[in-house]
Amino acid sequence: MFAFLVKRLAATVPVLLIVAVLVFLLLRLTPGDPAAIIAGDAASPENVAKIRENLGLSKPLIAQFGIWFGNVLAGDLGESYFFKVKVAELIMQRIEPTLALSICTIVIAVLVAVPLGVLAAWKQGGWLDRMLMGFSVMGFSIPVFVLAYILIWIVSLKLGWLPVQGYERIAGGFGPFIRHLILPSITLSVIYIALIARVTRASVQDVLSEDYIRTARAKGLPENRVLIAHALANAAVPIITVIGIGVALLIGGVVVTESVYGIPGLGRLTVDAVLARDFPTIQGVILFFSFVYVLINLLVDLSYLAFDPRIRY
Amino acid sequence: MGAVLEIRDLTIALPRGADRGNAVTGVNLTVDRGEIVCLVGESGSGKSVIAHAVMGLSPKELRATGGEILLEGEDILKASPARLRELRCVRMSMIFQEPMTALNPVMRCDAQIEEVLAMHTSLNAEERRARVRRIIEEVHLPDPERMMASYPHQLSGGQRQRIMIAIALIMEPVLLIADEPTTALDVTTQAQILKLIRELQQKHGTGVLFITHDFGVVAEIADRVAVLRLGALVETKTKTELLARPEHAYTQMLIASVPSIKPRHRGSDAAAPIVLKTEALAKIYSSGGFLARKREVHAAVDVSFTLRRGQTLGIVGESGSGKSTVARCIARLIDPTSGSVKLGNDEIATMSAGALRPLRRRVQIVFQDPYRSLNPRRTVGEAIIEGPLNYGISRSDALERARKLMETVRLDPSALNRYPHQFSGGQRQRICIARALAMEPELLIADEAVSALDVSVQAQVLDLLDEIRDRMNLAMLFITHDLRVAAQVCDHVAVMSKGRVVEYGTAADVFGAPQHAYTQALFAAAPGRDYAFGS
């Protein structure tokens, strides 16, 4: 167990290193000069060159990387070109909305998808099963922004039940906070409901043909206990895995959702930073996302221990 | 004496397109209080279908179309799902064949037993716990506290089956259905479990419907025996009467197919050239290492024997004894850790994979499970000729050889372009034998090659292997857990336990006067040893 943790944490180092190099190089290879954007349309070439000099962009690529990476190792992600604050501070400011949206999305997805998947597996080939399979094909194929606009149009504009856009900090009261989160979370959760429900269905279906399910029925247990205590408990590992993958994929999802609903989170920050060619911010945010991704994977692996006593690290 | 179970004229239809109309036709059977009735039949005879129907656990496709199943006078076939749930584990219980898979792997053993009490009684948590402890002691599990806190994977097969029995009997049902409960267990464990079932059944006066294919087990445990063939009962009698005077031709054939435990005397040439010689062969698996505790498993230690052309050497042992490890080392499917394996004059234990390849032809294996050792997507012809083609034989010659071999194993040569799923288990095992022989090996390894087969089919395949060995003058290494089978085909026997050969000698010596305590225990546990089967 201890050996496993040490090995896994050590393995994050090369992953983050590769991410750092790739992000750095990719940004330098894409067209667009941050200095020109900061200087504005009317700026003189001398002015732009001066800004470039100040930002350290005139140094050779390898030197730029060395300075940035040295700072990162020292715990400093640098300062944003655009917002003129520390990137670390920027991330801390923007993390609450993204965290709230992600948690809300995953909670909705799991609460809806797991029971649906179990029921579909139980009544395999029944109407619920067929409807769920149809729904999940739709859920996979409909783009997030299309769904977002449809929901805004129906729920907010036609029915007037929920706000169209925006975000309220949790410090400003739970009511407004949650009212602003509902629509974005539902929008974002649809694809995860489709994904998790399908995996739950397949996994539970496999388990239902196991001998110990027959044993459970031979004990005279009611079906709900057979399904939950015996089938779902054994089907958990693949479901947890896909939920973990879902959380990681969410990071991509929040970029679009936050933009459509005007939520000032990390996704929105990424878009703004890319548009402004704000190199330190982009690098910092992506490195942070990678770290979170690796951490989630580790947590998922550790959670297997709780769900299956046969797994030992 | 009241009947706890009365099956009257039971007929269960098979789905359309099956090989026969009914899974079970017009079966009449009673189990009295305190009586053990053995339901005997080969695979596909419908014995498990009957067991599941009694428990109300039949799949939807298998609906009873006639008759009744009376449990203490109440018709199970007419009971509602809710009523069935009330009866299960309370009035009737079932234990299953595979103790490895019949328990929930993510639930502690005590919780799996306690759940029955929580469902069917109004005992409080403390009383339930005390009751679970009592039943654990009643099934003679050592160290009850530890057993209760264990997960199934931490227990042996025999211990798991005891947990299953505890679950089944904790409510003291009037009927216990045991569906091949010892088939997956080692012979010594089997003897203990049979004894336990007998003991508890007598103590509580339980009626037992015991399903088995093994006449040795029948001889051990049955009061009465019902023989099932293709879904119909052919004969029902008391055990002593049935074993002494079987009337129906099918029963006679089944009993005659049980191999005798007395070795068949066979002359073999003691001066024939040596085909295989192992010396101090060992295989050690080690795991762990970096930061983790290092663990070593001695799968085989100091294994030495000699096998001459035209002879059969049996390696007999229980699961985990290392017998399959030895076979795999000899075929170099795995690499031995140390020691020597000489095939003729070639030392193959340490030979490189490249140098070994030309020699692989000389050693061929027939595996246990005929359902999984043939690629389902290739015709049996392709399976048989693949090896010879690899060694440079032309396709037409290889096919010609395959046709001849099909005749040798008594299959129709025109069936070469069919797929494995179109054959029965016994036929598939013949195909596997033909595939091995196509390489014209010097050494044929049969790794539990008849264990998965019905007793009548097993007898035929054993005869076939014997005949082939004589005709082709092969050396044969016969790996088995079954003493009766070993007695019939082996000239020499090596008994293995915990990775070591504990006794090695001629079949006549080992079977006639076993020396080692372990060998003696094996013989003592062999079911039905008091009956002279196959003589």
Side-chain angles (χ1 to χ4, degrees), chain B residues 466-506:
Chain B
D466 225 24
E467 178 196 321
I468 286 167
R469 191 202 61 173
D470 287 344
R471 215 165 79 190
M472 305 198 166
N473 210 8
L474 287 170
M476 189 149 80
L477 191 61
F478 198 91
I479 317 285
T480 184
H481 70 283
D482 189 332
L483 290 168
R484 294 177 179 279
V485 168
Q488 292 315 296
V489 295
C490 300
D491 304 300
H492 293 84
V493 176
V495 180
M496 284 192 75
S497 169
K498 293 175 189 153
R500 289 174 186 278
V501 175
V502 296
E503 189 155 358
Y504 174 41
T506 64

Side-chain angles (χ1 to χ4, degrees), chain B residues 86-406:
Chain B
E86 282 171 16
L87 292 171
R88 287 182 198 141
C89 236
V90 179
R91 307 308 294 164
M92 57 180 178
S93 280
M94 186 161 177
I95 54 179
F96 304 96
Q97 174 168 359
E98 276 295 340
M100 296 299 172
T101 54
L103 292 171
N104 184 341
V106 305
M107 210 182 210
R108 287 184 202 277
C109 291
D110 57 352
Q112 303 201 35
I113 304 175
E114 196 189 333
E115 160 177 79
V116 176
L117 296 174
M119 182 67 219
H120 298 295
T121 69
S122 51
L123 298 177
N124 66 32
E126 204 178 312
E127 292 166 333
R128 289 203 299 266
R129 220 182 137 65
R131 182 74 192 92
V132 169
R133 220 200 123 93
R134 248 200 355 263
I135 193 86
I136 293 257
E137 279 164 8
E138 228 178 322
V139 297
H140 306 306
L141 276 166
D143 199 355
E145 288 301 323
R146 188 173 64 81
M147 290 294 152
M148 286 167 73
S150 296
Y151 287 101
H153 73 276
Q154 296 165 316
L155 307 183
S156 71
Q159 289 169 337
R160 290 186 214 190
Q161 200 59 295
R162 282 172 199 268
I163 296 280
M164 263 317 291
I165 292 172
I167 290 172
L169 295 183
I170 193 162
M171 300 294 297
E172 299 185 4
V174 292
L175 175 69
L176 174 68
I177 299 169
D179 189 359
E180 305 254 12
T182 58
T183 307
L185 302 175
D186 280 328
V187 47
T188 46
T189 315
Q190 164 169 289
Q192 292 161 8
I193 294 290
L194 289 178
K195 192 170 150 243
L196 176 69
I197 291 176
R198 219 345 154 200
E199 175 196 324
L200 294 178
Q201 171 264 342
Q202 278 172 352
K203 189 163 147 195
H204 301 292
T206 320
V208 179
L209 181 61
F210 194 105
I211 290 166
T212 183
H213 68 282
D214 185 339
F215 268 95
V217 172
V218 171
E220 288 297 315
I221 201 162
D223 294 317
R224 279 193 307 131
V225 188
V227 181
L228 194 65
R229 177 174 181 256
L230 298 176
L233 283 185
V234 298
E235 197 165 354
T236 310
K237 277 192 176 145
T238 64
K239 173 181 73 179
T240 28
E241 223 178 307
L242 185 103
L243 290 180
R245 284 178 297 280
E247 262 170 51
H248 196 280
Y250 180 70
T251 317
Q252 290 168 355
M253 186 277 290
L254 277 186
I255 294 177
S257 302
V258 179
S260 166
I261 202 156
K262 291 212 170 55
R264 214 193 291 182
H265 185 72
R266 51 201 309 157
S268 66
D269 184 1
I274 292 173
V275 174
L276 174 76
K277 188 174 172 66
T278 71
E279 264 173 82
L281 178 66
K283 175 70 190 174
I284 296 164
Y285 291 99
S286 43
S287 61
F290 176 66
L291 285 174
R293 204 160 10 109
K294 206 170 159 73
R295 289 197 315 179
E296 282 194 342
V297 177
H298 293 251
V301 185
D302 197 16
V303 175
S304 307
F305 53 72
T306 309
L307 178 56
R308 290 171 191 274
R309 183 182 290 169
Q311 289 185 345
T312 301
L313 169 67
I315 301 186
V316 180
E318 298 189 296
S319 54
S321 64
K323 56 190 193 301
S324 285
T325 304
V326 170
R328 268 145 224 232
C329 282
I330 288 166
R332 269 293 296 272
L333 295 176
I334 53 177
D335 296 338
T337 313
S338 64
S340 138
V341 178
K342 272 189 134 172
L343 186 64
N345 293 318
D346 300 303
E347 172 60 63
I348 61 168
T350 49
M351 202 176 256
S352 74
L356 186 64
R357 199 159 297 126
L359 302 182
R360 288 216 181 263
R361 182 192 65 74
R362 291 158 60 186
V363 181
Q364 292 297 311
I365 305 193
V366 179
F367 293 99
Q368 173 170 4
D369 191 340
Y371 290 89
R372 289 189 299 180
S373 52
L374 287 166
N375 184 337
R377 305 178 69 100
R378 319 188 79 180
T379 64
V380 303
E382 292 294 330
I384 295 174
I385 67 171
E386 185 180 20
L389 289 183
N390 272 342
Y391 282 89
I393 288 165
S394 77
R395 199 177 166 82
S396 57
D397 287 355
L399 276 172
E400 184 51 40
R401 190 186 285 179
R403 272 192 287 274
K404 280 208 183 101
L405 282 169
M406 288 292 270

Side-chain angles (χ1 to χ4, degrees), chain A residues 30-301:
Chain A
T30 44
D33 183 356
I37 292 174
I38 292 169
D41 289 343
S44 66
E46 294 79 33
N47 222 343
V48 173
K50 195 162 167 257
I51 295 174
R52 287 177 65 90
E53 189 69 28
N54 285 343
L55 294 177
L57 290 172
S58 50
K59 290 197 179 79
L61 212 55
I62 190 88
Q64 288 184 40
F65 182 76
I67 294 168
W68 174 68
F69 197 68
N71 288 338
V72 170
L73 286 185
D76 181 7
L77 290 173
E79 194 188 283
S80 164
Y81 296 166
F82 186 75
F83 297 97
K84 305 290 176 202
V85 288
K86 286 279 179 195
V87 172
E89 206 177 300
L90 209 50
I91 291 176
M92 289 319 288
Q93 282 170 12
R94 300 294 194 95
I95 201 168
E96 188 203 292
T98 302
L99 203 62
L101 180 60
S102 303
I103 291 175
C104 205
T105 302
I106 281 298
V107 167
I108 292 176
V110 170
L111 286 184
V112 174
V114 171
L116 275 181
V118 172
L119 287 175
W122 184 48
K123 291 282 180 202
Q124 191 192 342
W127 62 268
L128 181 79
D129 187 22
R130 289 201 298 272
M131 254 178 57
L132 182 73
M133 288 301 104
F135 164 81
S136 58
V137 171
M138 220 173 66
F140 279 130
S141 38
I142 194 164
V144 174
F145 69 92
V146 173
L147 185 68
Y149 287 127
I150 293 174
L151 283 178
I152 290 176
W153 185 68
I154 297 176
V155 180
S156 303
L157 298 179
K158 288 283 158 196
L159 299 171
W161 288 351
L162 292 167
V164 175
Q165 274 202 324
Y167 178 77
E168 286 293 328
R169 294 207 164 254
I170 193 163
F174 190 73
F177 165 75
I178 209 78
R179 274 172 58 81
H180 281 88
L181 266 183
I182 292 175
L183 267 194
S185 301
I186 290 177
T187 310
L188 201 47
S189 68
V190 165
I191 192 163
Y192 299 107
I193 292 175
L195 182 70
I196 297 170
R198 280 201 85 128
V199 171
T200 304
R201 173 181 177 270
S203 184
V204 171
Q205 221 172 61
D206 271 357
V207 169
L208 279 178
S209 62
E210 293 286 345
D211 285 353
Y212 50 80
I213 298 299
R214 184 180 56 183
T215 306
R217 291 196 172 123
K219 284 176 178 175
L221 299 179
E223 282 300 295
N224 58 8
R225 175 133 181 104
V226 173
L227 283 175
I228 295 166
H230 292 275
L232 188 56
N234 276 285
V237 165
I239 301 173
I240 298 294
T241 309
V242 80
I243 291 174
I245 295 172
V247 172
L249 288 175
L250 256 178
I251 294 166
V254 292
V255 172
V256 178
T257 315
E258 286 181 3
S259 297
V260 173
Y261 287 100
I263 297 173
L266 286 174
R268 187 69 228 219
L269 176 65
T270 314
V271 175
D272 290 344
V274 168
L275 292 177
R277 296 292 182 276
D278 187 353
F279 288 173
T281 307
I282 303 173
Q283 289 162 6
V285 169
I286 290 182
L287 213 53
F288 175 73
F289 279 159
S290 310
F291 179 68
V292 171
Y293 187 94
V294 171
L295 207 65
I296 289 169
N297 267 310
L298 182 61
L299 287 178
V300 166
D301 282 355

